[in-house]
Amino acid sequence: MKTLHTFLCLSLLGFVTSAGAQDGLLAGTKPLTVNGDLSAQMVEGISKFLLREIESAETNRARFWQPDFSSREAHENSIAPNRERLRKMIGVVDTRLPVTELQFIETTLEPSLVSETDLYTIRAVRWPVLEGVHGEGLLLQPKGVINARIVVLPDADQTPEMICGLTAGVAPASQLPRRLAEHGCQVLVPVLIDRKDTWSGNQALRRFTNLPHREWIYRQAFELGRHIIGYEVQKALAAVDWFSAEAAKAPDSKARIAIAGYAEGGLIALHAAALDPRIDVALVSGYFDHRDGVWSEPIYRNVFGLLREFGDAEIASLVAPRSLIIEHSDTPTIDGPPKAQSGRSGAASGKWRTPDFNTVDYEVNRTRDLVKPLTNHVRFLHGNEGATIAACGDRALAELLKLLGMTGESKPPGAAPDDRRGVQFSSAERQKRQVSELVDFTQALLRASERKRDEAFWKPIKATEADVWMAAIPSLRSNLWDDVIGRFPAASLPANPRSRKIYDNEKWTGYDVMFDVWPDVYAWGVLLLPKDLKPGERRPVVVTQHGLEGVPADTITDDTKSYAYGAYKAFSARLAERGFIVFAPHNPYRGVDKFRVLQRQANATGRSLFSVITAQHERILDWLSEQPFVDAKRIGFYGLSYGGKTAMRVPALLDRYCLSICSADFNEWATKCATVDSPYSYLYTIEYDMYEFNLAHTFNYAEMAALIAPRPFMVERGHHDGVAPDEWVAHEFARVRRFYAKLGIADRTEIEFFNGPHTINGQGTYRFLHKHLNWPESK
């Protein structure tokens, strides 16, 4: 989607301010006295509202939990629904491949044996996880009896070699894997996807980005209902599968299974232990915290709906009654993604630093409160007066060994092992393999997503008549609203409409109109009333929606030299001149990263920017429907670009819009968001706000259009529009046209291709509006 901006942006402040001095206002409204940039104020207010939603989520989580502590079996059964919901949130939904053996990685030039000491060997290994996806890393095998089996996960920017002492980067005391091996533990150390951007792009397209590898995977996976967190949890649990298979071969062995992780590895360890009761002990170092600020952390930690049901304490409670060690240690400092440079940009903002002790301590105490009947579940390790301690050091090692049933004092680290491999080994090539495997797996999901939607959405539909289809819509609409977009409760404040006159055109008069929705959240737009409107007459309304970085005035201006006119062709004004009542709302996708952060804040509680936008439109519809000059049954929607994105979602949810026109946006949306194989993909832009969790498996644009049916629906498409190629648009619209024809209402849907760019064409769409809003063109 091309970014729409406007020459009016700079003059908007003065324009609105001066308009406040005018006396004109609409009947039934109070004077609108708010001045300044109403768009920026809207974004700021929404952010305040969303942060309050995050803050209140903690106290509202209890409704999702009914723990039963009467027995271990009862407790496991009582938390099973929570565990299942967490599993789906992080995308652990694919059946893992069986792991009966590890594969040694070696060639004629490079042996699998990396190192050997008197106490253990280190080998390069991999193991199957999902189709075409492997875990890969180092296996530390003790030479004597196996006392425990442990998965140790480094931070994303640490290699397994670093934390095993084979290369520099980690202090000897914190080289946990080899210290565990020195105590007779079998240790598997997977490599994590790192934060570099080397492979974040497509060489065939000559398109690259500065998205960290974790974000590169996160974006495409998120649209498919998967997650980088889930993928790496799957790799860790596949390692546990192998440990379990090995343990089954030695039924008399008392070796228990544990998982440990630092920083990003701590995140994976916590989630893996929460999901899998086979893990007896978990160590989480340098990660655990009060997660209300997750929206400001790197975007690859964004989990849709997480805070509605889970903070770190709730996730930790799923580990109980098994043992959990939480260590307050220094974390890596993340100041953002790799620096943007020529040919590489688009990454989302996000920072992370060592959590404050007080917030960690607060969350640890919440964990203890949640599982109070289960004593000694959590061990909290920290320094004096809340200071940090060395990550995965002596205290963590001693506590871990004790909880694994190993008696005796822990030993100091022995001599560091030597890496026997030559220059042929490349950790960068290993990282490339790991990234490529996850990309390939996710792209295979994308290619199959249309078939999945056919099976889930279209095949169950038996309707061949519009009336029958209308009866089937409510449950499907609820799925889109509740599970994909996210629904807020209805407006909590009275509308309190305010207005002021800001236009006096020869044929119409324009008013700023504002309504309250929730505290700090308002709806705002410009109403254009034709001057030939007669007393008592009720006319149809066209709601005209601007695009990205736009304001309502962009859809009205007649300045032919402006960028705004080039995109919108003053379509609000043109429609008012044709006799329609026009309302041009402001949607809050303006302010570059300021509005995109709203998506992060909303996602934290299972909502999105469109959760807010939909509520704003509900308020607008409430008011319009009450006006004596409006025919409430003839309110149509027409949006360009991001406004076209709105045209697909809001009318699909709000059936008071009697028709919808999507201009300069309609296409194969799932592919647009997730493919690595097209320069049209959002993977190559800054627009991280476009992603909606699991949309590709639930509602592409054809499915959204089906929710608009049997109401009229139209697509306006310029051949030279950079949003997507015509082939994507035609393919998706063919599915819409077929469905309307199946219902016997093929005359209610149209597509107009025209020889032009990303713009309003205003030909077929105007005829469509006159026809379906029953308003004569000659009026």
Side-chain angles (χ1 to χ4, degrees):
M1 180 180 295
K2 291 181 177 178
T3 299
L4 294 177
H5 64 280
T6 173
F7 82 106
L8 289 176
C9 288
L10 294 176
S11 61
L12 178 66
L13 177 63
F15 179 78
V16 174
T17 302
S18 63
Q22 300 184 32
D23 295 326
L25 69 155
L26 292 163
T29 66
K30 299 176 182 177
L32 176 58
T33 58
V34 177
N35 293 317
D37 187 337
L38 300 185
S39 172
Q41 292 172 43
M42 178 184 286
V43 169
E44 183 180 350
I46 292 171
S47 180
K48 291 178 182 178
F49 168 76
L50 294 174
L51 291 177
R52 286 198 301 271
E53 287 291 305
I54 289 173
E55 186 178 0
S56 65
E58 181 183 313
T59 58
N60 294 328
R61 286 177 198 147
R63 71 185 190 275
F64 294 104
W65 297 82
Q66 290 85 39
D68 182 348
F69 298 108
S70 61
S71 69
R72 180 160 186 167
E73 181 180 8
H75 182 250
E76 286 293 318
N77 290 336
S78 70
I79 63 174
N82 306 92
R83 186 172 278 152
E84 183 60 24
R85 287 192 289 270
L86 179 63
R87 189 186 305 276
K88 290 181 178 178
M89 283 181 187
I90 62 172
V92 181
V93 295
D94 300 292
T95 302
R96 289 191 301 278
L97 298 175
V99 188
T100 57
E101 60 185 11
L102 300 186
Q103 302 166 11
F104 291 158
I105 302 175
E106 61 183 6
T107 69
T108 56
L109 296 175
E110 186 178 291
S112 66
L113 184 62
V114 174
S115 188
E116 184 173 10
T117 73
D118 293 340
L119 298 175
Y120 60 89
T121 60
I122 303 178
R123 288 187 180 272
V125 296
R126 73 173 193 165
W127 57 98
V129 182
L130 305 169
E131 191 66 38
V133 176
H134 299 83
E136 190 169 342
L138 299 177
L139 171 68
L140 286 74
Q141 183 74 26
K143 290 186 173 180
V145 175
I146 295 175
N147 294 321
R149 294 181 167 92
I150 307 173
V151 180
V152 178
L153 297 148
D155 177 53
D157 285 339
Q158 294 175 333
T159 65
E161 287 76 15
M162 286 181 185
I163 65 168
C164 290
L166 292 162
T167 59
V170 175
S174 295
Q175 294 166 7
L176 184 63
R178 62 110 163 179
R179 296 193 68 186
L180 288 167
E182 290 166 355
H183 287 79
C185 298
Q186 184 183 58
V187 185
L188 197 51
V189 188
V191 62
L192 267 61
I193 301 299
D194 67 22
R195 302 185 186 97
K196 296 177 182 176
D197 63 2
T198 312
W199 316 112
S200 297
N202 187 329
Q203 182 62 50
L205 298 176
R206 297 185 179 180
R207 297 293 287 267
F208 285 90
T209 74
N210 71 325
L211 275 62
H213 292 144
R214 300 187 71 79
E215 182 180 349
W216 177 245
I217 301 298
Y218 156 83
R219 284 204 198 183
Q220 51 195 284
F222 194 84
E223 197 76 5
L224 277 300
R226 306 304 194 274
H227 205 289
I228 181 63
I229 294 173
Y231 283 152
E232 294 194 321
V233 166
Q234 291 275 43
K235 291 183 180 183
L237 295 184
V240 174
D241 293 341
W242 181 70
F243 282 158
S244 297
E246 290 294 291
K249 298 175 185 177
D252 295 332
S253 172
K254 296 182 180 180
R256 305 175 76 192
I257 295 175
I259 192 166
Y262 165 65
E264 217 71 40
L267 180 159
I268 305 304
L270 177 63
H271 286 76
L275 294 182
D276 198 330
R278 296 176 300 173
I279 297 171
D280 298 300
V281 183
L283 164 62
V284 177
S285 177
Y287 171 74
F288 200 83
D289 193 14
H290 188 59
R291 291 249 92 79
D292 278 13
V294 67
W295 59 270
S296 64
E297 295 179 23
I299 195 170
Y300 43 79
R301 294 182 177 180
N302 179 52
V303 175
F304 187 73
L306 179 72
L307 296 185
R308 184 167 52 191
E309 186 170 353
F310 300 98
D312 279 8
E314 284 78 13
I315 296 173
S317 76
L318 295 176
V319 180
R322 296 165 289 136
S323 297
L324 174 63
I325 305 166
I326 297 170
E327 184 177 54
H328 182 46
S329 61
D330 287 326
T331 70
T333 296
I334 302 172
D335 286 324
K339 186 177 179 180
Q341 52 187 304
S342 177
R344 284 187 180 269
S345 61
S349 58
K351 298 182 178 182
W352 189 48
R353 283 171 171 72
T354 301
D356 182 81
F357 171 78
N358 292 324
T359 63
V360 180
D361 185 53
Y362 173 83
E363 200 71 3
V364 169
N365 287 326
R366 281 211 318 116
T367 306
R368 289 171 172 155
D369 288 342
L370 290 171
V371 292
K372 212 162 193 176
L374 305 175
T375 56
N376 297 322
H377 157 55
V378 180
R379 273 78 166 174
F380 184 26
L381 308 181
H382 57 84
N384 293 332
E385 298 181 353
T388 57
I389 58 177
C392 301
D394 292 337
R395 290 180 61 186
L397 174 66
E399 194 69 33
L400 186 57
L401 295 175
K402 181 174 71 174
L403 291 172
L404 288 169
M406 299 169 63
T407 59
E409 295 291 324
S410 60
K411 309 169 189 175
D418 294 324
D419 194 331
R420 296 184 176 184
R421 294 170 297 186
V423 295
Q424 292 82 9
F425 170 72
S426 168
S427 61
E429 285 300 312
R430 180 178 59 193
Q431 181 71 205
K432 181 181 180 181
R433 286 194 299 272
Q434 290 284 287
V435 171
S436 296
E437 286 184 353
L438 290 179
V439 168
D440 291 347
F441 181 82
T442 307
Q443 294 302 301
L445 291 175
L446 176 61
R447 289 190 294 273
S449 63
E450 185 172 295
R451 175 172 53 82
K452 293 291 186 181
R453 293 193 304 275
D454 284 344
E455 293 171 355
F457 187 94
W458 296 106
K459 283 188 177 179
I461 294 174
K462 306 300 181 184
T464 56
E465 297 178 0
D467 290 346
V468 178
W469 172 237
M470 288 184 69
I473 286 177
S475 63
L476 293 169
R477 180 173 288 141
S478 292
N479 290 343
L480 175 62
W481 204 339
D482 295 328
D483 300 335
V484 178
I485 288 176
R487 189 195 307 240
F488 278 117
S492 61
L493 296 177
N496 186 28
R498 289 93 76 199
S499 70
R500 62 184 166 211
K501 184 177 177 181
I502 59 171
Y503 291 104
D504 190 4
N505 184 273
E506 179 183 352
K507 292 187 176 182
W508 46 264
T509 306
Y511 300 85
D512 262 337
V513 191
M514 184 180 287
F515 321 96
D516 292 329
V517 182
W518 302 297
D520 293 314
V521 179
Y522 57 80
W524 157 58
V526 175
L527 178 72
L528 305 184
L529 288 179
K531 288 187 174 179
D532 63 353
L533 185 64
K534 298 178 178 61
E537 182 184 13
R538 291 182 179 270
R539 289 195 186 179
V541 179
V542 182
V543 173
T544 53
Q545 190 64 66
H546 65 77
L548 185 64
E549 298 294 340
V551 291
D554 293 351
T555 71
I556 300 168
T557 179
D558 259 326
D559 184 350
T560 57
K561 295 180 180 180
S562 69
Y563 188 92
Y565 184 86
Y568 298 103
K569 300 296 191 295
F571 79 126
S572 291
R574 298 294 88 83
L575 288 168
E577 290 164 3
R578 287 170 172 260
F580 293 105
I581 295 170
V582 174
F583 191 90
H586 182 64
N587 277 1
Y589 33 71
R590 181 169 174 261
V592 196
D593 208 51
K594 289 183 180 179
F595 91 79
R596 291 195 167 95
V597 168
L598 300 181
Q599 183 82 332
R600 296 284 312 276
Q601 293 171 345
N603 275 188
T605 60
R607 280 73 169 246
S608 66
L609 190 60
F610 273 100
S611 304
V612 177
I613 290 170
T614 302
Q616 291 172 316
H617 277 260
E618 282 191 292
R619 180 108 289 178
I620 290 166
L621 285 167
D622 288 343
W623 183 79
L624 286 173
S625 298
E626 295 170 353
Q627 300 313 300
F629 45 79
V630 170
D631 184 343
K633 294 182 179 179
R634 292 189 290 166
I635 303 177
F637 191 97
Y638 185 1
L640 174 87
S641 195
Y642 219 126
K645 180 176 162 79
T646 309
M648 297 310 305
R649 288 157 179 78
V650 172
L653 300 178
L654 304 182
D655 59 9
R656 285 188 288 174
Y657 281 121
C658 71
L659 63 79
S660 183
I661 301 174
C662 177
S663 178
D665 181 75
F666 188 90
N667 70 96
E668 219 284 14
W669 191 258
T671 300
K672 170 76 174 172
C673 288
T675 186
V676 300
D677 293 324
S678 171
Y680 293 102
S681 176
Y682 281 131
L683 287 173
Y684 300 107
T685 77
I686 187 60
E687 291 159 293
Y688 63 82
D689 53 296
M690 296 298 180
Y691 292 85
E692 294 151 304
F693 188 68
N694 205 29
L695 187 79
H697 284 135
T698 52
F699 295 90
N700 209 346
Y701 273 13
E703 288 77 22
M704 293 182 196
L707 296 185
I708 294 171
R711 293 167 288 158
F713 171 71
M714 183 175 179
V715 172
E716 184 176 49
R717 162 70 190 182
H719 286 307
H720 308 300
D721 193 329
V723 164
D726 281 346
E727 290 80 1
W728 289 7
V729 178
H731 170 84
E732 194 69 7
F733 183 76
R735 294 163 64 80
V736 177
R737 176 65 169 73
R738 179 177 59 195
F739 183 64
Y740 270 72
K742 180 180 177 181
L743 296 183
I745 53 172
D747 61 326
R748 297 187 194 177
T749 189
E750 297 179 24
I751 186 168
E752 181 186 58
F753 288 97
F754 64 94
N755 194 26
H758 190 77
T759 183
I760 293 288
N761 190 45
Q763 300 297 316
T765 52
Y766 289 0
R767 291 191 294 271
F768 189 84
L769 289 168
H770 281 288
K771 174 183 175 181
H772 293 289
L773 291 179
N774 192 24
W775 185 249
E777 290 195 51
S778 59
K779 187 73 175 179

